[in-house]
Amino acid sequence: MTNKLKIAIQKSGRLSENSLKLLKECGIDIDNGLNKLKTEASNFPIEVFFLRDDDIPQYVEDGVADIGIVGENVLLEKNKNLKLVDKLGFGKCRLSLAIPKEQNYKSIKDLNGKRIATTYSIILSKYLKAQKIKAEIHEISGSVEIAPSIGLADAICDLVSSGSTLFTNGLKEVEVILKSEAVLVANKKLGKTQQSILDKLLFRMNAVRKAKNTKYILLNAPNNKLDAICKILPGMKSPTILPLADKDWSSVHSVVEENQFWEIIEKLKAEGAQGILVVPIEKMIL
Ligand code: PRT
Ligand code: ZN
């Protein structure tokens, strides 16, 4: 029995960089030597396996790895018995149906009797069944977007992010089947040690995430406006107020959430706040 948590991440592809970055932001030092199959962190009990994304669900289900980072699209397609621990906010895309752009499209019914090329046959067949559409699924392993132009299929089901691949291949998106992002998955029967390391990792991931959504704000306020200004600032508990050399003014420090940010700034200015500074927060522990 090992006393480490084994995490599987994509070796090289769209999720690799962000997966490593996430671990790094959690303070975990990983030596990512090229062509390595696995490595250990020097300052956290974690071992990292670099794999193809398609293999990650199986490895985690079998317990070869304890946890893994994959796209929800892969997780659903592989249909393994795993626990979805967290959504990670990167690798966002959608799995969509697309057809040649010159064709008319009114509803999903237009796909009845058609041939659809995809690498996502499990998700697609479930979707078609739910929509009561009978179509022929052609499972292919890549370059799905060229299938209509070479006469292999009438439509495709593939991942889309910017839409430029569809566009350059003369296709248009007609239905979104699934919205996907990278997720953290875990084996359903983690050992006690592994579970406690995972809890530590999740604690750090939360601190990083909270910090990303929050800004530290510093401003100068006339003392006679302090009450009004403090009411605008939510703060973690309450804002910090420090006297300035000019006895009629104070410096006010607080934290604000990104999504309320501009609204708060406008209100602060209206109440006479000056010299407003906004700085990023690296970690935030509540
Ligand atoms: O070698 P390995 O099997 O590990 O990698 P892979 O080639 O299977 O996967 P990779 O690296 O391409 O993608 C990994 C994961 O990134 C996917 O499973 C998704 O969860 C996520 N992701 C996010 C995407 C995209 N965006 C994406 N745009 N995966 C693929 N694409 C492809 C799509 O298939 C299409 O060919 O990009 C093209 C469309 O992009 P746009 O921007 O032109 O619309
Ligand atoms: Zn893959």
Side-chain angles (χ1 to χ4, degrees):
M1 268 308 274
T2 158
N3 54 3
K4 298 202 172 193
L5 181 73
K6 291 171 285 179
I7 181 170
I9 65 172
Q10 193 186 19
K11 184 173 168 58
S12 89
R14 286 187 163 83
L15 304 182
S16 309
E17 201 183 310
N18 280 318
S19 302
L20 281 170
K21 188 166 140 234
L22 178 68
L23 295 175
K24 203 171 166 207
E25 285 170 339
C26 290
I28 300 172
D29 277 339
I30 287 155
D31 152 35
N32 175 33
L34 276 181
N35 295 322
K36 267 195 180 169
L37 191 65
K38 65 174 188 172
T39 187
E40 287 181 15
S42 55
N43 59 354
F44 194 79
I46 200 167
E47 204 174 341
V48 186
F49 291 175
F50 300 100
L51 301 169
R52 283 203 54 198
D53 66 346
D54 314 72
D55 297 334
I56 292 175
Q58 181 76 61
Y59 276 82
V60 176
E61 190 188 62
D62 292 346
V64 176
D66 302 304
I67 62 172
I69 296 177
V70 279
E72 267 172 301
N73 50 301
V74 172
L75 179 65
L76 290 169
E77 182 63 22
K78 300 295 172 188
N79 208 7
K80 303 288 173 198
N81 191 20
L82 301 173
K83 187 171 170 204
L84 199 165
V85 181
D86 212 349
K87 297 201 175 195
L88 301 174
F90 60 84
K92 287 190 177 168
C93 57
R94 50 199 191 272
L95 184 67
S96 294
L97 286 165
I99 62 169
K101 67 170 187 299
E102 62 281 359
Q103 269 170 33
N104 290 328
Y105 185 86
K106 282 204 198 70
S107 77
I108 183 80
K109 287 195 188 102
D110 295 350
L111 293 179
N112 254 321
K114 297 282 165 69
R115 299 162 303 160
I116 309 174
T118 190
T119 52
Y120 291 90
S121 57
I122 306 261
I123 300 177
L124 177 60
S125 65
K126 281 186 186 160
Y127 176 80
L128 293 175
K129 202 171 167 199
Q131 301 283 334
K132 300 194 172 57
I133 302 298
K134 285 212 160 57
E136 212 179 288
I137 298 175
H138 281 251
E139 184 160 359
I140 54 178
S141 59
S143 303
V144 175
E145 64 280 359
I146 64 167
S149 63
I150 60 171
L152 183 72
D154 308 300
I156 67 162
C157 163
D158 199 12
L159 297 175
V160 183
S161 49
S162 68
S164 71
T165 302
L166 293 184
F167 183 80
T168 50
N169 285 281
L171 300 168
K172 64 178 176 190
E173 192 175 2
V174 291
E175 303 283 346
V176 175
I177 296 180
L178 168 82
K179 285 197 171 145
S180 176
E181 66 185 88
V183 290
L184 185 70
V185 292
N187 180 282
K188 283 202 168 159
K189 291 191 200 115
L190 283 186
K192 230 176 157 180
T193 315
Q194 278 69 28
Q195 184 62 52
S196 84
I197 304 171
L198 174 57
D199 290 343
K200 274 187 197 152
L201 180 66
L202 290 174
F203 177 81
R204 292 188 186 192
M205 279 168 51
N206 267 327
V208 171
R209 184 163 27 212
K210 285 213 184 77
K212 274 189 186 158
N213 294 330
T214 320
K215 302 273 180 241
Y216 193 78
I217 180 166
L218 306 93
L219 57 90
N220 295 334
N223 288 341
N224 60 0
K225 290 284 187 177
L226 274 178
D227 278 354
I229 283 178
C230 289
K231 279 200 188 98
I232 300 167
L233 290 166
M236 273 198 279
K237 282 207 172 73
S238 60
T240 306
I241 300 173
L242 302 167
L244 288 181
D246 179 340
K247 67 178 175 26
D248 295 331
W249 285 74
S250 298
S251 167
V252 180
H253 301 196
S254 188
V255 292
V256 295
E257 277 187 30
E258 184 101 69
N259 56 6
Q260 306 176 321
F261 178 73
W262 287 110
E263 207 182 314
I264 288 179
I265 298 285
E266 279 157 22
K267 286 186 186 161
L268 289 171
K269 281 178 68 184
E271 289 293 348
Q274 290 184 5
I276 304 174
L277 278 183
V278 178
V279 287
I281 299 174
E282 198 183 327
K283 309 268 184 325
M284 190 160 144
I285 289 114
L286 298 178

